[in-house]
């Protein structure tokens, strides 16, 4: 692997120095059902823009995460999406929930938040090695598992060295859950779009026919 260019290393050091002097608890989201519904709408708006890469998306998502809209906010959001614990948890989510499909629902705040508080201290839910029995799971269980595993990994010093994700380590548990849920929501939407784009034409046609039949057979209001 090539060593970072001098100016890149200086930028990381500069941002790290700023973060070291920032308030201990950066986020004050106080999430609720209302703010979560608005955040979901905003995530979908970012998704519809079809931004070329996650660095661009980070600037749009940072205000949703409660970070603001300046350059430092964008860098902090980027730090989350590049964190190894976050990425590892997402790989598990994609393999266990998405499984190549592109028409699955996203998680809901109330249900995920409740599951998060029920299971956040359960080692089967937090560790990368173990995994709880998924029998009977719906989308919200997969979301809660992702949130718990990501947050657990981000809080480990060995996982977080060199990554600008301290702001999530020190957030309240509810704020951290809110941020991770909506970060996952955006990633899920982008991944499903990619799945659909690369799906065989036969699969896409079958999907459209299935949607049409569902509409035809649905009860009239």
């Amino acid at each position: 692997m090539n060593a970072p260019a001098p100016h890149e290393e200086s930028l990381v050091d500069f941002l790290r120095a700023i973060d070291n002097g920032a308030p201990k608890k950066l986020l004050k989201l106080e999430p609720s059902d209302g703010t979560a519904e608005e955040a979901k709408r905003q995530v979908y708006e970012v998704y519809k823009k079809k931004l070329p890469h996650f660095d661009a998306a980070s600037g749009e998502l940072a205000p949703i995460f409660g970070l603001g809209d300046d350059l430092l906010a964008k860098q902090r959001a980027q730090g989350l999406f590049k964190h190894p614990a976050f990425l590892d948890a997402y790989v598990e989510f994609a393999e266990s929930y998405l499984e190549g499909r592109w028409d699955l629902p996203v998680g809901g705040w109330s249900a995920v938040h409740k599951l998060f508080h029920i299971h956040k201290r359960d080692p089967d839910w937090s560790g990368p090695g173990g995994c709880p029995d998924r029998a009977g799971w719906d989308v919200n269980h997969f979301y809660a598992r992702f949130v718990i595993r990501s947050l657990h990994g981000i809080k480990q010093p060995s996982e977080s060295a060199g990554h600008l994700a301290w702001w999530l380590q020190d957030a309240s548990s509810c704020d951290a859950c809110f941020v991770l849920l909506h970060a996952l929501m955006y990633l899920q939407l982008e991944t499903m779009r990619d799945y659909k784009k690369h799906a065989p034409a036969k699969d896409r046609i079958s999907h459209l026919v299935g949607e049409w039949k569902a509409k035809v057979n649905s009860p009239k209001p």
Side-chain angles (χ1 to χ4, degrees):
M1 183 180 294
N2 295 329
H7 70 279
E8 292 176 344
E9 192 170 15
S10 299
L11 177 60
V12 172
D13 291 341
F14 173 71
L15 292 170
R16 203 172 288 151
I18 293 176
D19 275 354
N20 287 339
K24 190 66 173 173
K25 288 194 180 295
L26 187 68
L27 302 182
K28 295 180 181 178
L29 290 171
E30 298 180 2
S32 65
D33 289 350
T35 56
E37 193 61 34
E38 174 61 17
K40 178 180 178 180
R41 184 192 67 77
Q42 292 174 356
V43 167
Y44 270 84
E45 288 299 317
V46 176
Y47 162 72
K48 290 173 184 176
K49 292 182 179 181
K50 297 183 178 180
L51 298 169
H53 47 70
F54 283 112
D55 284 353
S58 296
E60 301 277 345
L61 294 169
I64 303 173
F65 297 164
L67 290 170
D69 57 4
D70 58 12
L71 176 60
L72 187 54
K74 178 181 177 180
Q75 294 288 342
R76 285 170 174 153
Q78 287 176 356
L80 173 62
F81 282 106
K82 294 176 180 179
H83 197 287
F86 180 94
L87 294 173
D88 288 346
Y90 185 68
V91 169
E92 180 189 273
F93 174 85
E95 291 177 347
S96 60
Y97 176 62
L98 298 182
E99 297 181 316
R101 294 170 290 179
W102 65 82
D103 57 350
L104 297 174
V106 298
W109 165 250
S110 294
V112 174
H113 187 216
K114 181 178 180 180
L115 287 165
F116 168 73
H117 282 293
I118 291 172
H119 297 290
K120 64 183 179 182
R121 292 185 177 86
D122 186 336
D124 286 340
W125 282 70
S126 61
C131 187
D133 182 6
R134 297 190 182 111
W137 276 23
D138 62 17
V139 58
N140 297 308
H141 291 81
F142 287 99
Y143 263 68
R145 159 66 174 173
F146 169 85
V147 170
I148 293 169
R149 179 178 171 180
S150 294
L151 189 57
H152 176 78
I154 288 171
K155 287 185 175 183
Q156 304 307 308
S158 59
E159 290 276 353
S160 296
H163 296 278
L164 297 173
W166 68 268
W167 55 274
L168 198 62
Q169 297 177 35
D170 296 319
S172 72
S173 61
C174 295
D175 283 358
C177 180
F178 184 90
V179 169
L180 288 167
L181 181 150
H182 290 97
L184 174 57
M185 186 182 295
Y186 179 77
L187 278 181
Q188 177 185 340
L189 293 172
E190 286 289 358
T191 303
M192 291 195 302
R193 173 153 54 199
D194 190 61
Y195 286 162
K196 185 175 182 179
K197 179 180 177 181
H198 294 97
K202 180 181 178 181
D203 291 349
R204 284 184 272 125
I205 292 170
S206 296
H207 179 75
L208 289 172
V209 170
E211 285 188 333
W212 178 78
K213 286 183 177 179
K215 289 180 181 178
V216 169
N217 294 327
S218 61
K220 299 292 185 287

